[in-house]
Every structure is written in structure tokens, then in C-alpha cells.
């Protein structure tokens, strides 16, 4: 567990600030109430999650809680990225950089996350075309952080992904090994899914399957239907790569079944893509 003065604990300031906001009451308390509501809905109801974080951000602006504004805007961007709304994210991510470089937030760890938000847009739009920008930004971030800082994990992952996208197997595997070697917390689902995606790009189907099965199992245990569906549909791609059409079809049917009770636009787009691949 990170110590309270541990520079790698990016959540400590939030825990420390919670009591102050509760004591202030009013709109400061509303920041926390909506922030907690955001997390309750983050993996299950994107509409409710966006409403909650937008209300938290409005309260933070009304009370001039600049550090919270930075933190909330970063996580609203992450919510949009989770739904693959990359082109919606990019203007907001660019605008957030002006706040991230403000002296008022110099001690907020999430200021580094604002630079990652830009890179994640590049990764999602065109990791090949933006390869040089992704590498430059990620290397710059790594130079600023302790080796075991959790934000360094994001930088290493982005380096791995752009390397995989351009077909640089050696560099991609180096950075993925670095991700695993320097983790300070359990391998969370977003990262597990991302590693699976990298191995798909490299055509390493066994490794991709291993990570997607791990993500699928974790999502099922956590009752995180969104990540469960992402992992399930990604496994369709893996089995097609292995030329195992029977397993691909079974997994596709499983994905369809699970989407009957919940489906978001990003999931529907992925389903349509996998249906096209299976049919082809």
C-alpha cells in the first residue's frame, strides 16, 4: 500500500481533500456526491455517469475548485474515450492542457493525465500516422516521473501500442514487458484489454487470447458488462485470426446474447465489425 507521502500515490490528495469538501457543505459537498455517483455508473450507465460528472464539474467551477476541475475534466474525457468518442474528446483534451500547465495545479498528479489524454486520442484515431507524436509525448512523460509511478504505465502502454501498430515487434514487446514489470497495482481491465489489442496487431493470437480471457473473467466477476462484451467480441477477432471459425461463431453468439440486456453505440459498432468479419 502506498504511504501518505508516496509521490506515486495519485489518489492521496483526493482522499485528503474529501473531509474538507464535506465540512464546507453546499456546492463543495455536491462535487463529492456527484463524483461518487459518477463512479457508481462508470461501467454500467454512460448517460448517468456523464450527467453526474458534468454536475460535479459545474459545482467545481462555481466554487473555483481548480484542482477538482482538472481531475473531473480528465475523467469525463476517459468516459468519452471508453465510448470511442475520440473526435469529441480531442478539442476538450487540447483545451485541458492550458489548465494542466497552470501553476495552481502543479501538485495535482492528474495534470500528467491531461498529456496522456491527447496521446490516447492519437492512439485511437491513427497510431501509425501519429507514431512520432505518441513516442515524443510518452518519452517526455517518462522522463518526468519515478519509474514506478502509475502514470508511467500509461506512457509505456502507449509506446507499446504505437510500436505494435507500425509492426515493430521487438519494441512493442519490450514496452509491454516493461508495463508488466513496473505495475504497482493489479492488472486492471482497461490495461488487460489494451494488451490483448496490441497482440492482435502483432498477430500473436495465443497471447491476445490469454489477455482477453483474463479480462473477460475479471469483468464477469466484477459484473462489468461493458468490459465483458468488449473482451468477448475481441475474442471473435482472435479466433478468426487463428482460423477457428467455430470458436469465433460461438463467441459472436455469446456476445449477441449478452448485448440483449445492454448495448452502447461503441459495443454495437464492434459487434457489427465482428459480424462482418465472420460473414466474410
Amino acid at each position: 500500500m502506498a504511504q501518505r507521502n508516496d509521490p506515486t500515490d495519485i489518489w492521496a490528495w483526493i482522499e485528503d481533500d474529501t473531509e474538507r469538501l464535506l465540512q464546507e457543505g453546499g456546492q463543495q459537498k455536491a462535487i463529492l456526491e456527484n463524483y461518487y455517483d459518477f463512479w457508481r455508473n462508470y461501467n454500467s450507465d454512460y448517460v448517468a455517469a456523464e450527467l453526474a460528472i458534468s454536475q460535479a464539474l459545474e459545482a467545481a467551477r462555481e466554487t473555483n475548485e481548480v484542482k477538482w476541475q482538472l481531475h473531473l475534466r480528465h475523467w469525463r474525457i476517459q468516459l468519452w474515450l471508453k465510448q470511442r468518442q475520440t473526435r469529441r474528446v480531442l478539442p476538450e483534451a487540447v483545451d485541458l492542457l492550458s489548465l494542466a500547465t497552470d501553476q495552481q495545479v502543479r501538485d495535482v498528479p492528474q495534470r500528467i493525465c491531461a498529456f496522456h489524454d491527447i496521446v490516447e486520442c492519437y492512439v485511437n484515431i491513427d497510431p501509425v500516422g501519429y507514431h512520432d507524436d505518441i513516442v515524443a509525448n510518452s518519452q517526455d512523460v517518462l522522463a518526468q516521473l519515478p519509474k514506478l509511478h502509475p502514470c508511467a504505465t500509461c506512457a509505456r502502454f502507449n509506446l507499446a501500442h504505437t510500436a505494435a501498430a507500425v509492426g515493430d515487434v521487438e519494441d512493442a514487446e519490450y514496452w509491454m514487458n516493461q508495463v508488466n514489470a513496473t505495475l504497482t497495482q493489479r492488472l486492471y481491465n482497461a490495461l488487460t484489454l489494451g494488451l490483448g489489442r496490441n497482440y492482435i496487431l502483432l498477430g500473436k493470437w495465443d497471447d491476445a487470447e490469454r489477455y482477453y480471457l483474463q479480462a473477460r473473467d475479471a469483468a464477469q466477476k466484477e459484473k462489468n458488462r461493458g468490459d465483458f462484451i468488449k473482451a468477448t467480441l475481441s475474442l471473435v477477432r482472435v479466433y478468426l485470426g487463428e482460423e477457428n471459425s467455430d470458436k469465433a461463431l460461438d463467441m459472436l453468439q455469446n456476445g449477441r446474447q449478452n448485448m440483449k440486456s445492454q448495448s452502447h453505440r461503441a459495443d454495437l459498432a464492434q459487434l457489427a465489425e465482428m459480424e462482418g468479419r465472420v460473414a466474410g
Side-chain angles (χ1 to χ4, degrees):
M1 178 181 293
Q3 300 298 314
R4 300 305 291 172
N5 62 348
D6 185 348
T8 68
D9 185 356
I10 65 174
W11 301 98
W13 76 272
I14 294 174
E15 296 170 8
D16 292 341
D17 211 33
T18 294
E19 187 61 31
R20 179 185 67 82
L21 294 182
L22 289 173
Q23 290 178 355
E24 291 282 351
Q27 286 296 82
Q28 270 100 342
K29 185 179 179 182
I31 295 172
L32 284 179
E33 291 173 342
N34 285 291
Y35 179 63
Y36 295 150
D37 193 34
F38 164 73
W39 282 115
R40 279 191 291 271
N41 289 286
Y42 182 72
N43 288 312
S44 58
D45 188 335
Y46 296 154
V47 174
E50 180 163 351
L51 176 61
I53 201 165
S54 295
Q55 289 176 335
L57 180 56
E58 181 180 351
R61 284 171 171 155
E62 287 182 12
T63 53
N64 199 32
E65 294 286 350
V66 179
K67 294 180 180 180
W68 278 93
Q69 290 175 40
L70 174 67
H71 181 65
L72 293 167
R73 288 178 68 184
H74 162 65
W75 277 105
R76 186 172 63 175
I77 284 173
Q78 289 300 304
L79 178 68
W80 292 344
L81 285 170
K82 192 177 178 69
Q83 301 171 73
R84 301 182 187 177
Q85 297 179 4
T86 310
R87 298 191 185 280
R88 181 185 185 190
V89 168
L90 190 55
E92 169 67 359
V94 171
D95 187 65
L96 185 56
L97 286 178
S98 62
L99 179 56
T101 54
D102 191 303
Q103 286 298 304
Q104 295 181 82
V105 299
R106 64 185 181 279
D107 59 342
V108 178
Q110 282 76 15
R111 70 178 183 79
I112 292 291
C113 299
F115 294 91
H116 288 310
D117 290 338
I118 290 282
V119 176
E120 286 194 50
C121 290
Y122 294 159
V123 165
N124 282 276
I125 293 172
D126 185 1
V128 175
Y130 285 109
H131 173 77
D132 291 346
D133 295 296
I134 294 168
V135 170
N137 182 293
S138 300
Q139 292 285 15
D140 183 58
V141 167
L142 286 176
Q144 298 179 51
L145 297 173
K147 184 177 182 179
L148 299 182
H149 197 287
C151 292
T153 299
C154 299
R156 293 185 186 101
F157 174 78
N158 290 330
L159 286 165
H161 185 75
T162 191
V166 299
D168 188 338
V169 178
E170 183 178 356
D171 208 34
E173 293 196 320
Y174 169 79
W175 286 113
M176 284 191 283
N177 288 336
Q178 285 294 300
V179 166
N180 284 301
T182 56
L183 276 177
T184 58
Q185 55 190 319
R186 71 178 180 84
L187 193 61
Y188 50 91
N189 266 2
L191 190 56
T192 309
L193 289 165
L195 290 170
R197 182 173 58 165
N198 287 352
Y199 279 116
I200 279 183
L201 289 172
L202 295 174
K204 292 182 174 289
W205 307 113
D206 288 345
D207 290 315
E209 181 185 24
R210 173 165 54 89
Y211 278 111
Y212 282 130
L213 287 173
Q214 182 179 340
R216 191 170 184 261
D217 182 60
Q220 187 172 37
K221 290 177 180 176
E222 296 166 5
K223 297 182 179 180
N224 181 341
R225 186 176 294 274
D227 283 350
F228 182 86
I229 289 170
K230 286 183 177 69
T232 299
L233 295 178
S234 297
L235 282 165
V236 176
R237 178 72 183 90
V238 170
Y239 296 139
L240 287 174
E242 293 177 334
E243 298 183 354
N244 190 331
S245 57
D246 289 341
K247 289 185 75 171
L249 183 57
D250 286 346
M251 198 59 65
L252 180 62
Q253 290 173 340
N254 186 284
R256 286 174 180 150
Q257 183 66 31
N258 278 281
M259 290 177 68
K260 286 183 178 180
S261 58
Q262 174 183 334
S263 58
H264 302 293
R265 283 181 294 178
D267 298 328
L268 290 170
Q270 188 180 8
L271 175 64
E273 178 189 352
M274 291 307 107
E275 288 178 331
R277 288 180 180 273
V278 170

